[in-house]
Amino acid sequence: MEGQALFSRGVGAWLRPLLRFYPVLVRAGLRSIIQRVLMPSAYLEAARGLDHSAG
């Protein structure tokens, strides 16, 4: 529950509305920009690997 409270107060205030638009942004070709902004560089390559294996 503690993580849920943190999400609803801090990050959730701006992240929750953005999640509604994520599919639109991906279709617009902005997936890599979103990943670079939101994801630590250490995990970025692994996430790109998941994208390629799913498609």
Side-chain angles (χ1 to χ4, degrees):
M1 283 296 216
E2 184 178 311
Q4 209 171 23
L6 177 65
F7 184 76
S8 64
R9 278 186 275 138
V11 176
W14 61 270
L15 186 59
R16 196 172 291 125
L18 285 178
L19 288 176
R20 293 181 189 159
F21 295 107
Y22 181 75
V24 174
L25 297 172
V26 168
R27 282 192 295 267
L30 300 174
R31 181 190 306 261
S32 63
I33 293 171
I34 295 167
Q35 287 177 343
R36 278 193 299 248
V37 170
L38 295 178
M39 204 174 302
S41 59
Y43 300 111
L44 202 50
E45 205 53 45
R48 286 188 183 134
L50 291 173
D51 287 341
H52 293 292
S53 65

